[in-house]
Amino acid sequence: MSGPHSQRTDALPYRIRESKRARRVLLRVLAEGALEVVVPTGFNPKHVPEIVSAHAGWIQRTRAHLERTQLLARAEKLPEEVWFRATGARVSVRYVPAPSDGLRLTHASPTEIRIEGDAANVEGCRSLLRRWLRGQAKRLLIPWLSRASQETGLRYKLAQVRSQQSRWGSCSARGTISLNDKLLFLPPELVRYVLVHELCHTVHLSHSTAYWDLVRQFEPDCSNLNATLRKANRFIPTWAC
């Protein structure tokens, strides 16, 4: 794999990186806003300006979206309180500056956590909070799924918690149920619906008529709950994303 080298076409600067693994030309807008053009080994670079120009609209839209996202992340303050709607728990967050380059999260009490160290490292604090969130989700959601399984009589093989971006949960053909750690921010009736939804997939993997008939046995209001769930991202604080 050769190193990147910079080029530009009109007002769209970019750099080319040759990759032995690439099967076609790929355009990537990097975190700093730079455009990287990944080309297969042996690809003639004279074709790159034409490709970049053809995708100029997409490049500009992607850069603008990236900039808006980064501005929002910088503008948002770190949370002083975390509210888990799923359980009703509220946990205060204290930031304790200390002469250290690292960060450490401790539980001062059941209702308070502390982040000690380089508290000015905003992204480091968010990363620590996200890891803490995943731990809390494992502690709370997996037993909740077990209770829902006993209540419905629907069995699963394995349960895990992940930081999923586009799904609240999933169920594999082998009966492994994955739950999104951000479920803790949702109202309890939505969390229960997600648990029932995935448990029913242990019987019917597809969203067939038989599947929805089974869901309605345990959640008669599943249509309204499903509609509400589609808008549930509004419950999620930005730091958790």
Side-chain angles (χ1 to χ4, degrees):
M1 181 184 295
S2 62
H5 55 280
S6 297
Q7 300 283 343
R8 66 179 294 118
T9 176
D10 299 328
L12 291 174
Y14 60 89
R15 63 190 188 207
I16 300 174
R17 178 169 63 86
E18 190 176 278
S19 170
K20 294 179 180 179
R21 300 177 60 184
R23 295 292 177 265
R24 58 187 176 86
V25 177
L26 301 173
L27 303 182
R28 300 176 60 217
V29 176
L30 306 180
E32 68 274 16
L35 175 65
E36 181 180 68
V37 182
V38 183
V39 301
T41 301
F43 184 85
N44 191 336
K46 75 177 185 179
H47 299 301
V48 171
E50 179 183 354
I51 295 172
V52 171
S53 295
H55 293 82
W58 175 85
I59 294 166
Q60 298 292 6
R61 289 193 300 273
T62 303
R63 281 177 169 160
H65 175 73
L66 178 65
E67 184 178 357
R68 287 194 300 270
T69 302
Q70 291 175 338
L71 284 173
L72 178 62
R74 287 194 292 268
E76 187 197 6
K77 295 180 180 179
L78 289 169
E80 296 181 357
E81 182 183 72
V82 177
W83 178 24
F84 293 146
R85 288 178 179 83
T87 64
R90 293 180 181 269
V91 180
S92 61
V93 186
R94 288 187 58 194
Y95 303 90
V96 183
S100 171
D101 292 334
L103 288 164
R104 184 168 65 101
L105 187 149
T106 59
H107 287 81
S109 74
T111 58
E112 179 183 299
I113 59 175
R114 295 181 183 178
I115 294 180
E116 302 178 12
D118 182 15
N121 181 357
V122 175
E123 188 51 46
C125 290
R126 286 182 184 142
S127 179
L128 203 58
L129 284 167
R130 286 192 288 266
R131 290 201 298 271
W132 170 76
L133 170 64
R134 194 174 306 120
Q136 294 300 298
K138 289 178 181 177
R139 182 176 68 85
L140 296 168
L141 293 177
I142 291 181
W144 197 343
L145 177 65
S146 178
R147 293 193 298 271
S149 173
Q150 293 173 9
E151 174 192 340
T152 60
L154 300 171
R155 305 302 180 203
Y156 59 94
K157 293 290 181 63
L158 183 68
Q160 59 185 9
V161 171
R162 300 167 60 191
S163 297
Q164 296 163 299
Q165 296 300 317
S166 60
R167 290 185 173 187
W168 295 112
S170 62
C171 180
S172 74
R174 295 185 176 182
T176 297
I177 291 180
S178 299
L179 299 173
N180 193 322
D181 56 9
K182 302 173 193 65
L183 283 169
L184 288 180
F185 296 110
L186 271 56
E189 63 273 15
L190 290 183
V191 178
R192 185 183 184 279
Y193 169 65
V194 171
L195 301 183
V196 169
H197 185 106
E198 300 308 331
L199 284 168
C200 288
H201 275 312
T202 62
V203 180
H204 304 285
L205 273 179
S206 67
H207 290 93
S208 62
T209 301
Y211 166 80
W212 286 112
D213 287 343
L214 182 62
V215 173
R216 289 188 186 91
Q217 289 184 31
F218 306 108
E219 284 290 0
D221 196 32
C222 63
S223 296
N224 288 330
L225 289 168
N226 199 47
T228 304
L229 190 63
R230 293 194 190 101
K231 303 175 183 177
N233 281 333
R234 69 183 186 274
F235 297 118
I236 312 303
T238 305
W239 66 262
C241 299

